[in-house]
Amino acid sequence: MPKVRHWPATALALFAAAVALGLVAAHTTATRSTELAWNAHIRQLRAGWLNRAMLDVANLASPVAGLAILALITVFFLRRRDPVQAVATFLVIAVGWNSSEIVKLIVGRNRPPAAFSLAPETGSNSFPSGHTAFAFSLAVAMCLLAVRTRWFGLAVALGTLWTLLVGFGRLYIGAHYPLDIVGSVLVSTAAIVFLTGLWHGWIAGNLYRVPLLARFGPVPGPPVPVPETASVL
């Protein structure tokens, strides 16, 4: 996991920007007409085969599919006897994804009118998009796994396309406004940046305290204290 300089301030700034954007979008009229116009333009693209494709994309990033993907990735690394990578990847995806639920509660934005939606959703607020937060967090996790390998460029390209596809799909279906998609990226980035600081400052150094992890492979132990050497006059 990378080290991010000034991670508390960076994470806080991104989180505050996301919340401010959501509150403006939800409780003022500053962006509503523009966002509705974008939604209307996207709805004009609807066709039978594309409707089915976008609904399938949404299902791939749904909570049920997200939990299944998260479990499969974790099991994959545990079977490879790499518990540290399993925990790190799990946390990047889970923290980046579920941070959207916190902001949903803070912002409280209603979804677009159900009459314009292919698949009306009333179970949660609109800002930010949980589907997009999952897609982005999964993309970030895959890019981090590919760092310093020949696959990094491909991971970035595929991760970007995947996130854009899921975000566009949410607009196409009519489940979100455009700023909901932007907010997802901001919130998930803030959460992942904050996680990197916790990982290097506390989590990684305390994984040895979880006995279960050692059953799946080597886990770094506690730091060995360096004995003080007597000064020579």
Side-chain angles (χ1 to χ4, degrees):
M1 199 174 294
K3 288 186 177 182
V4 179
R5 294 183 62 186
H6 312 300
W7 60 270
T10 301
L12 180 60
L14 289 169
F15 186 83
V19 171
L21 182 66
L23 291 174
V24 168
H27 303 293
T28 74
T29 59
T31 66
R32 183 173 176 79
S33 60
T34 302
E35 289 191 272
L36 285 173
W38 273 89
N39 281 20
H41 288 314
I42 292 173
R43 283 198 299 272
Q44 292 176 1
L45 302 174
R46 287 180 180 172
W49 67 272
L50 193 53
N51 292 353
R52 183 67 264 167
M54 290 298 100
L55 289 171
D56 288 341
V57 169
N59 288 334
L60 285 175
S62 68
V64 173
L67 288 173
I69 292 170
L70 187 57
L72 287 172
I73 291 174
T74 304
V75 170
F76 171 78
F77 283 111
L78 290 177
R79 287 182 64 86
R80 290 190 61 181
R81 300 191 63 75
D82 193 348
V84 175
Q85 195 65 268
V87 172
T89 306
F90 175 91
L91 288 176
V92 168
I93 299 172
V95 170
W97 178 17
N98 288 285
S99 60
S100 65
E101 297 302 317
I102 298 173
V103 180
K104 280 180 184 286
L105 294 174
I106 296 173
V107 171
R109 187 183 200 187
N110 294 327
R111 290 188 182 273
F116 301 105
S117 177
L118 285 177
E121 297 183 25
T122 58
S124 62
N125 294 326
S126 184
F127 185 100
S129 163
H131 285 68
T132 309
F134 167 74
F136 178 74
S137 300
L138 177 61
V140 170
M142 295 302 101
C143 289
L144 292 178
L145 290 171
V147 168
R148 290 189 292 274
T149 73
R150 60 176 178 167
W151 305 109
F152 180 69
L154 180 62
V156 171
L158 292 179
T160 301
L161 289 174
W162 159 246
T163 304
L164 291 174
L165 179 62
V166 172
F168 173 79
R170 301 305 286 160
L171 299 178
Y172 181 94
I173 291 169
H176 287 284
Y177 296 99
L179 288 182
D180 300 344
I181 309 304
V182 176
S184 301
V185 175
L186 287 174
V187 171
S188 295
T189 302
I192 293 170
V193 168
F194 190 78
L195 173 64
T196 63
L198 292 182
W199 177 266
H200 292 289
W202 185 79
I203 297 174
N206 285 278
L207 289 178
Y208 72 93
R209 298 180 185 274
V210 185
L212 179 64
L213 290 179
R215 297 176 57 183
F216 295 99
V219 178
V224 179
V226 179
E228 296 183 3
T229 57
S231 59
V232 179
L233 297 177

